[in-house]
Amino acid sequence: MSYLAVKDASKQFGGSVRALDGVSFTVERNEFFTLLGPSGCGKTTLLRSIAGFADLTAGSISLAGTGLDSVPSHKRDIGMVFQDYAVFPHLTVAENVAFGLKARKVPAAETAARVAEALATVRLGAMATRLPAALSGGQQQRIGLARAMVIRPKLLLMDEPLSNLDAKLRIDLRDEIRDIQKSIGIAAIYVTHDQEEALAISDRICVMNAGRIEQIGTPQEIYADPRTIFVASFVGTMNVLPREAASHLGMGPDVESGRAHQLAIRPEHIRLDQGDVAPDSIRLAGMVEKYTYLGREAHVLAQTPAGKIVVQLADPSPTLRMETGSPIPLAFRRQDILSFDSSGMRLEGRGN
Amino acid sequence: MRVSFWTLVSIFAWLMLIALLVVPLGSVLLSSLQDQAGNFTLGNYTRFAETPRFRAAFVNTLIVGFGGLVGSLLLGSAMAFCMARIEIRGSRIVSLLAILALVSPPFIGAYSWIVLFGSGGLVRQTLMSWGIFIPPIFGLWGILIVFSFKFYPYVYLLASGALSNINRSLEEAAESLGLTPFQRVMKISFPLVLPAISAGGLLALIHSIADFGTPRLIGRGFNVLATEAYTLYSAEVGSNLSMATTISIVLIMLSMLFVFGQRYMSRRNVYHGNLINKPVKKKLTGFRNVAAHGVVYTIALIGAMPAFIAAIYSVRRTSGPVFHPGFGLESYRRILYNLADVVQNSLMFSFATVALIVTIGTLIGCLVARKMSVNTSLLDATLMVPYVMPGIVVGIAFVAAFNAPPLALTGTAAVIILSIFIRRLPYSVRSSASALRQVSPSMEEAAISLGYSPARAFMKVTVPLILPGIVAGGMLSFVTAINELSSSLVLYVGSTATMPVRIYIAINDGDYGTAAALSTVLLVLSSTAIYIAFRLMGRDERALL
Ligand SMILES: Nc1ncnc2c1ncn2[C@@H]1O[C@H](COP(=O)(O)OP(=O)(O)O)[C@@H](O)[C@H]1O
Ligand SMILES: [Mg+2]
């Protein structure tokens, strides 16, 4: 029996909007599980159904062996962290954190100890007596996190908790969230539309699109072995080419037979042919259209017979010049090409 | 539990609106469609259209309405522009003066202008002794001056808010595209603040149309619909209720027309301000600086003048209605000995009204803000109606509805309290709904996820957060309630006279000392309430509108 099990969850708003369409997955104890998908795909709806703030049209949810269907949200014992922090502005930092303990009638001494511990964990010990309005966004979200954790919930839900913060803080705080989750050993569901965040933080990722699950897997599986064209293009950068490009990519008659609808290859799997590539490589002559220098890497947009292709160059030399229109020979391996059928499903497993 | 509670609130709200709005308005309409014998007729409307006196009143109402609108727009936008874009010394004092103009009841304004510029007015007499003749202020021009200086804060407060919220980059972008400063103002700034200006102008227009005290006191034969309705209703001999109700219907239609007209006009143009890239105030020098200060301070001081005049005249020595040189407290003594019951009435009625408004307004506000449905939108829309009903109409409607069993309320305190309550309720509903909308729903959800039931989460989180706003709103309702004249004037009997009613009577009797002292008491009470409100919710002049 899984710790959290969502079965065939569907949610319909009004007449036509299907926010969730037959979603099933499980989350284990201690697992960091991420819902990833573009905005509007139903992540928030799913999370709120688990928390009990929204009723499913169909389907069931069970947590730690008991069905949640008839449990009101305030009795579910599920901690929640909100995108807009939802920190109580009329209470001090410590009172915010103690709020859930009061409802549980935890004795005063124990409350004080647990609040102090939780504040120390999120590095807000010095701010205990302040009002939240005086704190930065990152600090407010730390209050939100401490407040949800201190009640030792059965499950922690986080709905895009970092999306209102600036980039640098987002990276710091996401690592902190990850460390805290592992150190207290709690099952967590994390919602984000940022694929890089999902890859960095998760044990497993569930990629969603239009109310359905596209794929569930570890970050490695999601990135390197996408099962659908949607996952392939949503996570990371992907060159997607039409089937007509197949002949230029050295693909055999099995593809010609017509099952492949789209072909895809990651920019980092294409390299410049400087006469040093493996003999079984496929070569493609291209012409530079645009060169973008990004420091750690550089992107070349090349016009080729197969279509426009982005190539990623690792650690580009600062003196490297690529003039628009100059020829650029490309090479890649056959097994790095992914092919998808007309319904967007992957056709064959990864070669290696 | 919770669902059924809000259903109860909804049912109660509708019953209340039926009793206090639909029935009185229905009675007014019914009465306007009946002849003396009670038969159906359109005769009253025909008579209204054919009688020169009523036609004149109709035209006059439009004249004072649009005159008040134009005057308020001129004064209000000039002041708004100077205050929002130019560094004005003592700008806090200026906006205090604007608030003073706003909260002092219009009839005090009329009174003070009479004291200075009436036939025997102080300024007029002085000028005459220097050989300069100006006509006494009575008549159309008097009304327009009073309205302009009384209602300009509506335009000023809304427009200055909008002006200082325009993203600076928009104006800079226009400048960088080669527009001259004048073109920039006309093409960028003006369209952006137009919705605010038109909303302020509408408030000035509606109040000008509805106001009864000013044309009554200073008009001297210049009659408008509100005064005609009152005359017809209150005539000792030949009181004509059905003609009074006919005029009331016309007056409501007129107000409605303007409200919906303004809504229609500014519907497309809602611009959201910004809080980051605010425009900076320019520091002017030399003549232009003096001119800007001159404009601002002239408007502000003249607007607040009635309050000062009332305060000064309240401590002049009097014997009976006659002023003597020097100062004394006779007027206050007279209030203490003869008019204590009037002060007491005013306070009691106002507190009762505020208690009703706060509880019922908050409940309906929660309903409207949280339970979105056809029912609540309809409720919200229906509440717009009392918002545009002139006080005199509410008074007459309550008489028409409640002067016979089963609801024979005329002459009671309850009828005065309810009449003020229903007029102020829309503000309270709106303000508590908007206070509630400011509280993110995730705040309550956070409490629920931490183990509080929905009802406890509401009490523990939402109520403390909206409480200051609600108390502040109550204070502002108190200001409105205690200054209310026109509906009370229709509904009062000897034992239920209020301060505004008594001031009106005193001015009519020429007892200016008593009027000044009562007005000062009113102003002090109002200012205290506003001070408390601003302390609670931060200083936000626009909450007064
Ligand atoms: N209360 C609601 N009423 C109607 N439609 C809704 C409501 N909440 C969400 N939706 C719709 O459901 C879909 C999924 O929304 P949501 O779960 O918020 O997506 P996400 O969190 O992934 O951005 C969207 O199309 C949204 O418009
Ligand atoms: Mg969302």
Side-chain angles (χ1 to χ4, degrees), chain A residues 11-14 17-20 37-48 83 159-160 191-193 208 211:
Chain A
K11 174 78 185 179
Q12 202 146 354
F13 284 113
V17 187
R18 279 204 154 226
L20 292 176
S39 125
C41 73
K43 309 177 298 285
T44 297
T45 307
L46 180 52
L47 210 65
R48 289 170 55 82
Q83 181 173 2
D159 190 358
E160 312 211 16
V191 165
T192 180
H193 62 259
M208 293 180 64

Side-chain angles (χ1 to χ4, degrees), chain A residues 48 53 73-75 77-80 82 84 86-90 96 99-100 102-105 147-148 151, chain B residues 439-457 459-465:
Chain A
R48 289 170 55 82
F53 297 134
S73 42
H74 64 283
K75 298 211 172 110
D77 211 5
I78 292 177
M80 186 128 183
F82 295 83
D84 61 358
V87 167
F88 307 129
H90 60 304
N96 260 282
F99 197 77
K102 262 204 206 128
R104 288 170 171 68
K105 306 229 162 33
R147 185 178 67 183
I151 59 171
Chain B
V439 179
S440 154
S442 58
M443 211 73 84
E444 245 174 75
E445 286 176 357
I448 294 171
S449 77
L450 292 168
Y452 290 79
S453 67
R456 283 185 70 209
M459 290 308 295
K460 281 274 194 185
V461 175
T462 311
V463 168
L465 289 176

Side-chain angles (χ1 to χ4, degrees), chain B residues 289-359:
Chain B
N289 193 29
V290 174
H293 279 77
V295 167
V296 167
Y297 274 95
T298 307
I299 298 174
L301 285 172
I302 296 182
M305 179 272 292
F308 294 128
I309 295 291
I312 294 168
Y313 273 65
S314 72
V315 292
R316 281 189 60 178
R317 269 189 49 208
T318 61
S319 66
V322 188
F323 284 116
H324 293 289
F327 293 97
L329 292 176
E330 291 86 1
S331 300
Y332 288 100
R333 208 166 293 138
R334 207 156 41 237
I335 294 179
L336 209 57
Y337 292 135
N338 301 335
L339 298 171
D341 58 328
V342 172
V343 179
Q344 197 186 344
N345 276 348
S346 265
L347 286 174
M348 255 171 47
F349 296 172
S350 304
F351 281 123
T353 311
V354 168
L356 278 178
I357 287 175
V358 166
T359 34

